[in-house]
Amino acid sequence: MAARPSRGAAVVCTALLCAAATLAVPGAAHAEPPRTLAQVQAEVNTLYHQAEAATEAFNAAEEKVLTQQKNLVALAISLDAAQTRLATLRDQAGAMARAQYRSGGMTDEMQLALSSDPETFLSDASLAQRGARAANATIRDLTSTQAALDGYAHAATAEWEALVETRKKSANARTQVESRLARAKALLATLREQERLRLQKLEDEAAYQAQLAWTRSDAAKKLAQLPRAAGDASAQGRRAVAFAAGQIGKPYVWGAGGPSSYDCSGLTQQAWAAAGRNIPRTSQEQWRLLPHVPVDRMRPGDLIIYFDDASHVGVYVGDGAIVHAPRPGRNVTMAGAGSMRILGVVRPG
């Protein structure tokens, strides 16, 4: 007969089984090791970059909403005018139909044969021909106005559906922005004050090193050697630079276009609006639609577009510097033109 296990052996066995079960449960493993400041910096930068890209998507959607709303108002006015015109033409067509009914609907030849005064009839017939031509014109107008009315109604329906879809995109982009910013804020909240200060120094050092590397690039060297006349800002460029510089110290707020706060493209758009030039709202559209110039030929007032997705933009102010709205938690400031990865340069005017 087999010996019964002792109570102590049973306890040990139970403990081992529990430990094995714990290891087998997903998520019950050891806690993740704490992140290094460099890892936190990388993650925060990624979140802020994603938030900025989503901000530009939000700005684009909001801009499109405004355009679609204006289109709907214009369509409504056209629709109302077409309906009024249609009602008038229908009244005219009805009057003509009643007149034809009163004449018995007889042909001109029959009326001439039955007329007691042929000369008067022929005079009346000339008037009748003109009336017939007017009737035909009215019918043509009636047909074309009805077609226009149908077209406006169809366009208004399509525009409304597009507006609803754009509002969905705007709401989704807003959610993306707020989500990324909340995650960045929560991550930063896990740091002690000293760690946050060290993180700031790490960011400043990274920007400095990037700027230093850029100043040694061929493009920066050629820019420095550019004859003064070729590198001088235009009158509009000087006004754009003056405006941007005047906003230094104002806070970055995503989706803002002034006057008390800005996001990156809101600042550049308003800077050039102050210079008398209307430019697109988002950094992507500024990159897509404005004339491109080589980096080594840029001049003050030009816009430098950053990152492969064109999600950031600043105003070049000369001497290798930009004024830009960096990100949430920061203010409009001056920075090195090469402190971020340059995609290219555009010149509004």
Side-chain angles (χ1 to χ4, degrees):
M1 180 176 179
R4 295 179 60 190
S6 66
R7 180 177 178 80
V11 170
V12 170
C13 183
T14 302
L16 288 171
L17 288 171
C18 289
T22 301
L23 289 172
V25 176
H30 296 295
E32 290 183 7
R35 295 182 180 91
T36 65
L37 273 183
Q39 289 171 325
V40 170
Q41 179 192 24
E43 188 169 348
V44 167
N45 286 345
T46 297
L47 289 168
Y48 278 135
H49 180 83
Q50 291 171 344
E52 189 159 45
T55 295
E56 293 303 279
F58 170 83
N59 289 337
E62 287 297 288
E63 193 84 350
K64 194 171 182 181
V65 163
L66 291 176
T67 299
Q68 289 169 334
Q69 287 175 333
K70 290 177 183 176
N71 290 345
L72 278 169
V73 170
L75 284 168
I77 292 171
S78 298
L79 199 62
D80 181 66
Q83 287 173 330
T84 301
R85 173 72 174 151
L86 191 64
T88 301
L89 289 169
R90 280 175 173 164
D91 287 344
Q92 291 175 359
M96 291 174 181
R98 288 191 293 274
Q100 187 177 17
Y101 176 78
R102 284 194 296 271
S103 70
M106 289 187 293
T107 64
D108 290 344
E109 292 81 359
M110 182 64 72
Q111 291 185 53
L112 176 60
L114 298 176
S115 174
S116 59
D117 187 353
E119 187 174 336
T120 301
F121 171 77
L122 290 173
S123 175
D124 290 343
S126 177
L127 290 174
Q129 287 174 351
R130 290 198 293 273
R133 287 195 294 271
N136 289 334
T138 298
I139 291 170
R140 286 195 299 272
D141 283 352
L142 191 63
T143 302
S144 63
T145 302
Q146 181 65 60
L149 183 65
D150 293 342
Y152 291 139
H154 178 75
T157 300
E159 196 70 37
W160 180 257
E161 289 172 351
L163 176 60
V164 170
E165 188 61 31
T166 304
R167 280 177 168 159
K168 287 180 183 176
K169 290 180 180 178
S170 175
N172 289 338
R174 175 186 287 274
T175 300
Q176 290 287 322
V177 175
E178 291 174 344
S179 170
R180 299 300 188 272
L181 293 181
R183 285 172 59 187
K185 185 177 180 181
L187 186 56
L188 291 172
T190 64
L191 302 178
R192 295 187 295 272
E193 181 63 26
Q194 284 185 331
E195 290 174 322
R196 281 195 287 271
L197 292 174
R198 284 173 56 202
L199 184 63
Q200 177 65 61
K201 288 181 179 178
L202 281 174
E203 291 179 359
D204 292 343
E205 179 63 20
Y208 170 75
Q209 291 299 331
Q211 174 69 5
L212 189 62
W214 181 74
T215 59
R216 293 169 178 166
S217 69
D218 289 341
K221 289 175 182 176
K222 288 179 182 178
L223 187 63
Q225 294 167 1
L226 197 65
R228 180 169 176 78
D232 281 349
S234 65
Q236 281 186 311
R238 286 193 294 273
R239 290 198 294 272
V241 167
F243 179 91
Q247 311 313 304
I248 290 176
K250 292 183 179 180
Y252 176 107
V253 174
W254 72 270
S260 58
S261 59
Y262 299 89
D263 60 23
C264 69
S265 58
L267 175 64
T268 55
Q269 185 190 44
Q270 291 307 309
W272 272 95
R277 172 85 160 89
N278 184 35
I279 66 173
R281 173 64 176 89
T282 69
S283 55
Q284 287 94 347
E285 288 296 278
Q286 290 169 8
W287 172 245
R288 188 174 72 86
L289 297 175
L290 297 177
H292 290 204
V293 297
V295 175
D296 59 11
R297 301 288 294 181
M298 66 181 171
R299 65 192 188 193
D302 289 347
L303 306 181
I304 304 182
I305 310 295
Y306 293 96
F307 307 116
D308 293 341
D309 57 358
S311 59
H312 192 72
V313 60
V315 181
Y316 183 61
V317 297
D319 296 325
I322 60 167
V323 169
H324 72 141
R327 62 169 175 78
R330 300 289 180 83
N331 296 330
V332 175
T333 188
M334 188 174 289
S339 58
M340 296 165 284
R341 190 168 63 258
I342 294 176
L343 175 62
V345 178
V346 295
R347 179 168 296 165

